Amino acid sequence: MQNFSKLQHKSNKKKAIIIGSGFGGLAIAIRLQALGFQTEIFEKNEMIGGHASQIKKEGFTFDMGPSIVTIPFTIQELFGLNGEDMNDYLQMSSLDPLYRIYFHDKSYIDYTGNADQMKAQISKFNEKDAKNYDKFMKLSSSIYKIVIEDGLGSKPFSSLWDFLKFAPRAIKLKAVLPGYFLVSRYFKDFRTRFLFSFHPLFIGGNPFTTPSIFLMLPYLEKLGGVWYATGGMYKIIEELGKLYTRMGGKIHLNSEVTEILIENGCAIGVKVHNEEMLSDIVVSNSHFANTYMDLIPETKRQKWPNKKILNKQYSMSCFLIYLGISERYDKFKHHTLILSERYKELVTDLFDKTVLPDDFSMYIHTPSKTDETMAPAGCDSVYILIPTPNLNADVNWDKYKDTYAKKIIDFLESDFGLKDLSKNVKVKEIFTPLDFQRKRNNFLGAPWSLQPSLFQIASFRPHNKSEDINGLYLVGASTHPGGGVPGVLLGAKATEAVIAKDFGLFFIK
């Protein structure tokens, strides 16, 4: 156990404590160091990264969570705060295709940013859909302009008025309509409808209810591509951690925060290993339900009582298998999706009925297709993600996880045609919705926190600055703008803006 002493106010620097070292925690810590704060990160686990942790076993390397980089400038911006260049530390490569998507009828589309290639593939199934591709991308680019170019995603939504100012533009672009509904106006083939509506699943959202504001993602990918960092996503985490320490920040591992200290309605520090660590502000990168219900007494929360938190709609969860395979299967691209025949019905089971269906769709990440350092020679490092209901579902994951993993591997071997897959598995690790609750402090095992539904986005999400407690701020998937690595990094910038304003500090937009 590390020996901590209370933080003492021996300098003019303001002190900040950050709870958690995921992408959000590291980003806000770097930003606050650049603003002149003296910061310390307290991380529950034995390594930094949160969801973006890593497993190494028998020569195989697995990123445990996020696997896609879509807007590298959000990472470059963090290095720039210290006068450094991201490219001096990270080797980034653009992927093509972005994903290969297999449909239930054995057809597939290589999803790419190349418009001509996309239209040629789409036209095989529906020529009118191919003709509407450019029209849809024009809509997507208009939404992208609001969110990224105009900075909506990195601006805090601290009041209902902030939302109302944004609403007219969103309504004009039909961005408040459900995403799948709007996509269906442009495309008729089930494949094309999936291609341009599935992205909310990457941030824990239901494509049939999530607002079309997230339809900016297809254009974002088309414009900027999908990127990979040699060494995996954890290489980015490692380099951000090193950047932070070069800037003078401190990281404490195996140091779970068990309480946020509140005095006269203000956050004054945290409790770690039963010791009080004092600070001027506290920033939580933990799930907001954990932050409020587990770390702060309900008597000190008026805006977020337990009942309100429990009544929110939470994202789905997922079941993850990490496989080290002594065979390289050509069917796997760097990013591969394999889809069930059911789309809306499957999503309804996950989000509304909260039951574990018999069928499943899956996302597969095989970084060794791009980066040979991720697996021994002639082998592949494979990460399989199955969307599942959160812990509201009646599933005993401790008992069922091995059976469910076998069912998935059997499907890939028998139905998908990966010959002798089960015999070629050399390493197998499993992470369940229950692990998200136990190891990541995710309420209901929901790694993306709140669903990004119409009344759970922008001003309706937990604010970047706590509505209840002065000096307490949030980053991560729980707050605006939401989940996914780009969202979390943009959200850290929004939280920085609020803190800078509160302390009268200069903030670079």
Side-chain angles (χ1 to χ4, degrees):
M1 182 180 297
Q2 299 180 40
N3 183 25
F4 297 115
S5 60
K6 286 188 178 182
L7 293 173
Q8 300 297 325
H9 295 255
K10 294 180 179 179
S11 72
N12 292 326
K13 278 193 172 185
K14 296 294 183 181
K15 296 179 175 62
I17 286 176
I18 292 89
I19 303 171
S21 63
F23 271 104
L26 288 170
I28 191 62
I30 290 166
R31 289 183 172 280
L32 291 181
Q33 281 292 132
L35 276 181
F37 281 80
Q38 177 185 322
T39 69
E40 298 196 33
I41 296 175
F42 291 89
E43 168 58 47
K44 171 185 177 179
N45 295 296
E46 62 185 9
M47 61 194 305
I48 61 172
H51 290 318
S53 293
Q54 189 180 74
I55 298 173
K56 288 191 174 185
K57 192 171 184 180
E58 296 182 26
F60 294 93
T61 301
F62 308 96
D63 284 321
M64 295 188 71
S67 60
I68 294 173
V69 176
T70 49
I71 41 178
F73 76 76
T74 57
I75 301 170
Q76 168 61 38
E77 197 170 74
L78 296 174
F79 283 90
L81 292 173
N82 201 40
E84 301 182 26
D85 186 345
M86 171 186 76
N87 296 308
D88 291 336
Y89 301 94
L90 295 170
Q91 182 181 340
M92 305 291 290
S93 54
S94 181
L95 302 178
D96 190 27
L98 282 58
Y99 322 98
R100 172 167 285 183
I101 303 176
Y102 290 96
F103 300 91
H104 69 275
D105 61 355
K106 309 302 181 184
S107 62
Y108 70 83
I109 289 178
D110 283 334
Y111 187 99
T112 174
N114 184 296
D116 291 336
Q117 291 179 17
M118 284 300 296
K119 286 185 277 191
Q121 292 183 87
I122 293 170
S123 67
K124 294 177 183 178
F125 306 110
N126 189 302
E127 290 186 2
K128 190 173 181 180
D129 282 2
K131 292 178 180 178
N132 282 338
Y133 172 85
D134 289 330
K135 292 179 182 177
F136 174 77
M137 279 300 169
K138 184 177 180 180
L139 169 72
S140 183
S141 68
S142 298
I143 302 173
Y144 171 90
K145 184 181 186 302
I146 293 176
V147 177
I148 303 298
E149 292 182 1
D150 294 351
L152 179 72
S154 58
K155 293 177 181 176
F157 274 66
S158 302
S159 68
L160 182 60
W161 175 240
D162 291 327
F163 181 81
L164 293 176
K165 287 189 293 184
F166 152 71
R169 297 177 69 188
I171 292 170
K172 184 178 180 180
L173 290 172
K174 301 180 177 64
V176 295
L177 295 174
Y180 183 85
F181 174 82
L182 196 53
V183 168
S184 297
R185 289 187 173 186
Y186 290 84
F187 306 116
K188 300 305 177 186
D189 188 79
F190 70 89
R191 300 170 190 84
T192 324
R193 286 182 170 183
F194 179 85
L195 284 178
F196 300 111
S197 69
F198 81 93
H199 291 84
L201 290 166
F202 279 165
I203 55 173
N206 180 339
F208 296 89
T209 60
T210 298
S212 294
I213 190 74
F214 294 99
L215 291 185
M216 63 99 180
L217 293 170
Y219 181 76
L220 182 151
E221 291 179 335
K222 180 180 184 297
L223 179 69
V226 168
W227 295 78
Y228 173 77
T230 299
M233 291 294 286
Y234 197 71
K235 176 64 173 175
I236 302 175
I237 289 290
E238 285 184 319
E239 293 302 334
L240 289 178
K242 292 176 183 177
L243 168 64
Y244 171 61
T245 55
R246 285 197 299 275
M247 296 173 72
K250 297 180 181 179
I251 300 173
H252 304 283
L253 302 176
N254 298 307
S255 302
E256 182 174 10
V257 171
T258 55
E259 183 182 348
I260 296 174
L261 304 173
I262 310 296
E263 187 175 284
N264 298 323
C266 297
I268 62 166
V270 299
K271 185 175 286 187
V272 183
H273 300 316
N274 288 320
E275 293 189 50
E276 293 185 353
M277 313 297 294
L278 304 182
S279 63
D280 294 286
I281 64 171
V282 175
V283 185
S284 180
N285 185 208
S286 187
H287 194 295
F288 97 101
N290 166 255
T291 300
Y292 283 134
M293 291 201 297
D294 298 335
L295 304 183
I296 301 171
E298 188 174 18
T299 55
K300 298 182 179 181
R301 294 181 273 115
Q302 294 183 349
K303 297 285 187 180
W304 286 104
N306 290 352
K307 183 178 180 181
K308 182 178 179 180
I309 295 170
L310 295 171
N311 284 338
K312 287 293 180 180
Q313 294 178 310
Y314 291 88
S315 78
M316 76 225 184
S317 189
C318 54
F319 182 90
L320 292 150
I321 312 175
Y322 308 97
L323 297 179
I325 304 174
S326 60
E327 181 66 49
R328 307 201 80 185
Y329 292 100
D330 291 338
K331 280 193 170 183
F332 287 155
K333 297 298 181 184
H334 188 110
H335 299 296
T336 308
L337 281 77
I338 305 172
L339 306 180
S340 164
E341 182 173 0
R342 300 193 310 149
Y343 182 19
K344 184 175 183 179
E345 296 83 0
L346 184 65
V347 168
T348 298
D349 284 348
L350 300 178
F351 285 90
D352 299 331
K353 296 182 180 179
T354 56
V355 296
L356 184 67
D358 291 330
D359 59 336
F360 41 73
S361 292
M362 65 180 75
Y363 161 72
I364 300 172
H365 182 220
T366 315
S368 50
K369 294 295 184 185
T370 303
D371 181 359
E372 293 183 353
T373 68
M374 300 296 279
C379 301
D380 265 335
S381 168
V382 179
Y383 147 142
I384 303 169
L385 183 153
I386 309 289
T388 68
N390 60 39
L391 293 178
N392 275 323
D394 185 20
V395 181
N396 186 329
W397 285 110
D398 283 334
K399 291 184 178 180
Y400 189 57
K401 64 181 181 180
D402 291 323
T403 300
Y404 196 56
K406 183 178 186 303
K407 180 178 180 179
I408 293 163
I409 293 170
D410 287 348
F411 166 84
L412 289 170
E413 183 172 281
S414 302
D415 294 70
F416 190 63
L418 302 184
K419 185 180 178 181
D420 296 327
L421 174 61
S422 57
K423 294 180 181 178
N424 292 326
V425 173
K426 301 303 177 186
V427 171
K428 181 176 72 175
E429 297 288 333
I430 297 171
F431 202 89
T432 76
L434 200 55
D435 290 317
F436 280 108
Q437 179 173 270
R438 290 171 175 169
K439 299 178 181 180
R440 304 277 187 257
N441 290 343
N442 292 158
F443 179 63
L444 294 178
W448 295 277
S449 188
L450 297 175
Q451 292 182 38
S453 55
L454 180 59
F455 293 106
Q456 292 191 160
I457 62 170
S459 302
F460 301 109
R461 289 185 88 74
H463 294 176
N464 302 84
K465 175 182 178 179
S466 173
E467 304 97 304
D468 276 313
I469 297 159
N470 290 326
L472 175 63
Y473 303 85
L474 304 182
V475 290
S478 299
T479 190
H480 173 72
V485 174
V488 164
L489 293 179
L490 290 172
K493 190 171 184 178
T495 301
E496 177 198 8
V498 175
I499 295 171
K501 181 179 179 182
D502 285 350
F503 283 83
L505 300 172
F506 178 71
F507 170 67
I508 301 175
K509 295 183 179 180

